[in-house]
Amino acid sequence: MKASSELHFYLTLEQSSLLLEALVEQPFKNVFDIIGQLNQQAQQFYQAEATQHVPALFIISARDFSVCVQALGELPYNRVCTLVNYLHQQLQTQHATEESQHANPLASGSSQ
């Protein structure tokens, strides 16, 4: 996976709040762009028909995602283990999908 690739993952409002909480604890110059991106994407939770308990799509660069995971690693394990496992599962699924599309280019073309 390229360092500049975008990652797609789903978070609930509670999960996105925990991620933002972890980022706020980091040096501001390292995370202010990421916080802005995530905060803007979290606005979807506040739309009229949105449900705060239903996961919503977030898109972030692989580099910024790495910063997020590192920030989560500095919070107490019992607070973040479920979220980290959830993110890991999503990344594995995304990676497997990309691999199967590369292995079978006709399948990826027909899904678009």
Side-chain angles (χ1 to χ4, degrees):
M1 195 175 290
K2 293 182 255 179
S4 63
S5 65
E6 289 185 335
L7 301 176
H8 299 81
F9 56 96
Y10 291 86
L11 297 174
T12 63
L13 177 61
E14 182 179 343
Q15 291 167 329
S16 66
S17 295
L18 181 57
L19 181 54
L20 287 170
E21 179 184 334
L23 289 169
V24 168
E25 297 296 322
Q26 301 302 304
F28 184 72
K29 67 180 183 176
N30 297 341
V31 297
F32 73 92
D33 283 335
I34 302 168
I35 290 171
Q37 291 173 43
L38 293 175
N39 191 41
Q40 182 179 16
Q41 292 181 60
Q43 295 305 309
Q44 60 192 314
F45 289 116
Y46 302 105
Q47 296 171 352
E49 68 278 352
T51 304
Q52 295 179 352
H53 301 291
V54 175
L57 176 64
F58 286 78
I59 302 171
I60 193 168
S61 73
R63 182 195 136 318
D64 290 347
F65 185 81
S66 177
V67 172
C68 291
V69 171
Q70 289 174 350
L72 286 169
E74 294 186 22
L75 290 181
Y77 177 78
N78 63 332
R79 293 195 59 215
V80 300
C81 66
T82 302
L83 176 55
V84 171
N85 285 333
Y86 180 61
L87 291 171
H88 183 256
Q89 289 172 348
Q90 291 185 64
L91 288 178
Q92 284 184 314
T93 301
Q94 185 173 339
H95 183 68
T97 300
E98 289 173 359
E99 289 292 318
S100 68
Q101 288 175 348
H102 289 304
N104 187 358
L106 295 176
S108 65
S110 64
S111 65
Q112 294 178 357

